Amino acid sequence: MTWSHLARRWRVLRQTCAPKLRFYSGQQTHSPPPWRPVSALDEWVERDIRPISLRQLTFFGRTLTESRLISSANYVRTELPTRIAHRLRDIQRLPYVVVANPHLSLVYELYYKAFERFRTIPEIKTLDDNDKFCDILRRTLQEHLVVIPKLATGVLECRELVPPDVLDDFMNTLLRARISRRVIAEQHLALTETFNSPWHFPGSQDRTDLNADFVGEVFLKCNAKEVAERCGKLTQDMMRQSSGSDKIPEISVQGHLEATFPYMLSHLEYIIGELLRNSIQAVSERYKGTSERPPPIEVLICEAPQHVILRVSDQGGGIPREVLPYLWSFNKGPHSKSHLQNLGQVPAMAATMQELSVSTKRKDADKETFRESSLDSLTSRPPNLRLGIGLPMSRVYAEYWAGSLELHSLEGYGVDAFLQISKLGNKNEQVTTRASIDAV
């Protein structure tokens, strides 16, 4: 079936279905998304996505010149509309009643406007062109901070209309793609900032060790011990503040404490922060009202030739049996209704750990590895507000750079979480789902 036939069917469905649609978000009616011409989209969907690795990002940014910066800008300029076009096509393939959901419809509109914006940007030839392009990037990144809560809310509201595995695959694909777009956009913004800094130019003595540790957004010396301790302290402070109790379990870090690797620091912080927060909540709740001191949460670091593995172990009683089958699902589970209500309190979300904490605390926690991001201070949410997407999001982050995240629950005792990270930085970003990769 051609896209012209689909366009006609879309228009017919709009006329017949739109007056009957009622949504679950408290709104009585909502205008469905307008039909868009597909000819421009078809051209970009036929283009292949060009994945990158951490090593490529590092190599490119290490010897930064004006021509390389402009080359980076043109890569982002053409890659963003290509990646957005593929996701727009994914949304168009959903049943009409799902796309017409007000939250998913908003995401569709945001994506299409961004697609139109980026595909019409002319070739970048000068540094002035690049500065204007960076302004567009920053504005788009900020506009799209609503995407995660809107996606999650829309998927939860449509959970009875589409099989759950279809919605989970859709959500995983869109979140991977979102991470990929933010990675290349944030990296280019950081490279531009580096290029414009006084210490970038030869002969300058102002370049510090802090800046030498970063190439754009890639932190070359991610130390697993330091990240675990820093995330642990911040998580303990957040949980102490939200619970009003000092009965917070200690965090013990053991193993290969010198293990380092190149990584996106915000990705790693988010994963470890979510794992530690879940463990602290479980242990605190289990020992609440008792005179016993809660047992510590153990973080074991294991360094292999190609990987670094972190095991986070707690004695919080394990994952409830009714929750376990839906651990990695965005749309199913016994608490989906409460998650839907909580998402209504989160208008924007960057999916970084720093949005849960005060920036000054994070800076003070470890001044040597703090790096300001364009996402800092743009969003905030209470750390005890459970949304049901922390673990699935953490797995998406882990698998994005060809790693993995697994949980093993020992009922009545606790949970062991295993995070595996590629140590060499030579794995391409995984912009499709694991199922799609396995099917190749």
Side-chain angles (χ1 to χ4, degrees):
M1 181 179 293
T2 65
W3 279 105
S4 60
H5 288 107
L6 284 175
R8 285 197 293 273
R9 287 185 62 184
W10 182 284
R11 286 193 290 270
V12 171
L13 281 169
R14 281 187 63 190
Q15 295 169 359
T16 57
C17 298
K20 303 175 184 178
L21 292 176
R22 296 294 184 268
F23 297 101
Y24 326 107
S25 60
Q27 301 178 23
Q28 291 187 345
T29 60
H30 176 79
S31 298
W35 176 254
R36 304 286 192 177
V38 298
S39 55
L41 196 63
D42 288 342
E43 175 191 343
W44 288 86
V45 169
E46 291 175 0
R47 302 186 184 190
D48 291 330
I49 292 172
R50 295 175 290 170
I52 51 177
S53 68
L54 285 168
R55 181 177 290 178
Q56 287 173 316
L57 289 176
T58 303
F59 177 78
F60 191 88
R62 269 293 181 95
T63 54
L64 191 59
T65 63
E66 180 177 335
S67 62
R68 284 204 167 194
L69 185 66
I70 291 175
S71 175
S72 170
N74 282 304
Y75 167 76
V76 177
R77 178 184 64 87
T78 56
E79 193 69 11
L80 283 179
T82 302
R83 298 187 183 202
I84 295 172
H86 283 272
R87 303 294 72 82
L88 282 169
R89 185 52 48 84
D90 288 338
I91 298 175
Q92 289 178 346
R93 288 181 176 134
L94 290 171
Y96 177 81
V97 69
V98 176
V99 183
N101 175 278
H103 305 288
L104 296 179
S105 174
L106 175 62
V107 173
Y108 180 81
E109 283 297 290
L110 283 171
Y111 280 12
Y112 207 97
K113 288 176 182 176
F115 169 70
E116 288 292 328
R117 180 183 298 160
F118 286 115
R119 81 178 181 91
T120 55
I121 295 175
E123 181 183 358
I124 297 164
K125 298 179 179 180
T126 66
L127 292 177
D128 286 341
D129 291 344
N130 179 62
D131 289 340
K132 294 174 184 176
F133 178 61
C134 288
D135 290 339
I136 296 173
L137 280 180
R138 292 187 192 94
R139 185 171 74 249
T140 305
L141 287 173
Q142 186 166 359
E143 288 174 356
H144 284 222
L145 285 172
V146 302
V147 165
I148 291 179
K150 291 298 181 183
L151 272 177
T153 302
V155 164
L156 280 171
E157 288 184 349
C158 296
R159 62 187 182 277
E160 303 300 332
L161 303 174
V162 182
D165 57 335
V166 173
L167 282 181
D168 278 333
D169 287 343
F170 168 75
M171 189 73 169
N172 272 284
T173 299
L174 258 67
L175 288 175
R176 285 174 187 270
R178 176 192 176 276
I179 294 170
S180 77
R181 294 192 303 273
R182 297 195 86 89
V183 162
I184 62 175
E186 288 278 344
Q187 180 70 1
H188 181 68
L189 289 173
L191 291 179
T192 300
E193 180 185 342
T194 298
F195 186 84
N196 292 331
S197 298
W199 46 258
H200 166 72
F201 298 99
S204 170
Q205 302 301 316
D206 295 330
R207 180 162 185 165
T208 64
D209 291 339
L210 164 66
N211 294 312
D213 290 344
F214 282 90
V215 176
E217 289 293 305
V218 182
F219 187 37
L220 302 178
K221 301 176 182 178
C222 254
N223 179 275
K225 169 183 174 289
E226 291 176 0
V227 174
E229 289 179 343
R230 181 170 65 254
C231 289
K233 183 180 184 305
L234 290 172
T235 308
Q236 286 172 320
D237 291 343
M238 286 189 291
M239 297 308 299
R240 190 176 289 111
Q241 183 179 1
S242 63
S243 67
S245 170
D246 286 331
K247 204 170 185 180
I248 303 294
E250 297 295 322
I251 297 174
S252 171
V253 183
Q254 302 171 353
H256 298 144
L257 304 182
E258 303 301 319
T260 61
F261 47 90
Y263 213 71
M264 292 281 185
L265 195 56
S266 61
H267 293 190
L268 187 61
E269 287 180 336
Y270 181 84
I271 301 169
I272 295 178
E274 284 292 336
L275 295 178
L276 290 176
R277 184 165 58 141
N278 288 341
S279 291
I280 290 174
Q281 283 179 330
V283 173
S284 299
E285 289 174 4
R286 190 182 191 195
Y287 287 85
K288 183 172 62 177
T290 69
S291 58
E292 284 185 75
R293 180 116 185 119
I297 295 164
E298 297 180 353
V299 179
L300 179 63
I301 301 167
C302 303
E303 184 178 20
Q306 296 186 358
H307 303 283
V308 173
I309 300 171
L310 286 86
R311 185 188 71 185
V312 180
S313 304
D314 67 59
Q315 298 178 41
I319 300 169
R321 184 173 296 183
E322 68 272 15
V323 175
L324 200 55
Y326 311 106
L327 204 57
W328 307 109
S329 175
F330 287 96
N331 69 97
K332 282 290 184 181
H335 305 302
S336 56
K337 288 186 178 179
S338 65
H339 293 157
L340 185 58
Q341 292 175 347
N342 290 341
L343 280 164
Q345 303 178 47
V346 185
M349 184 177 174
T352 58
M353 188 182 179
Q354 54 263 41
E355 71 184 340
L356 296 176
S357 59
V358 181
S359 292
T360 52
K361 285 186 179 180
R362 181 168 180 255
K363 291 178 184 178
D364 294 340
D366 194 330
K367 294 180 181 178
E368 291 184 359
T369 56
F370 176 80
R371 180 178 177 85
E372 196 81 36
S373 166
S374 66
L375 300 181
D376 282 349
S377 305
L378 291 179
T379 61
S380 61
R381 62 185 174 97
N384 59 339
L385 193 67
R386 299 189 179 186
L387 306 179
I389 62 175
L391 278 178
M393 275 291 300
S394 296
R395 175 175 270 189
V396 171
Y397 270 126
E399 292 183 349
Y400 180 72
W401 292 116
S404 64
L405 177 62
E406 301 292 340
L407 260 67
H408 299 279
S409 176
L410 304 173
E411 189 174 3
Y413 183 79
V415 171
D416 283 346
F418 293 87
L419 171 63
Q420 179 175 294
I421 296 166
S422 176
K423 175 183 168 184
L424 305 179
N426 61 344
K427 301 292 186 181
N428 278 347
E429 51 179 342
Q430 307 297 310
V431 292
T432 54
T433 62
R434 176 60 58 188
S436 300
I437 296 170
D438 294 341
V440 174

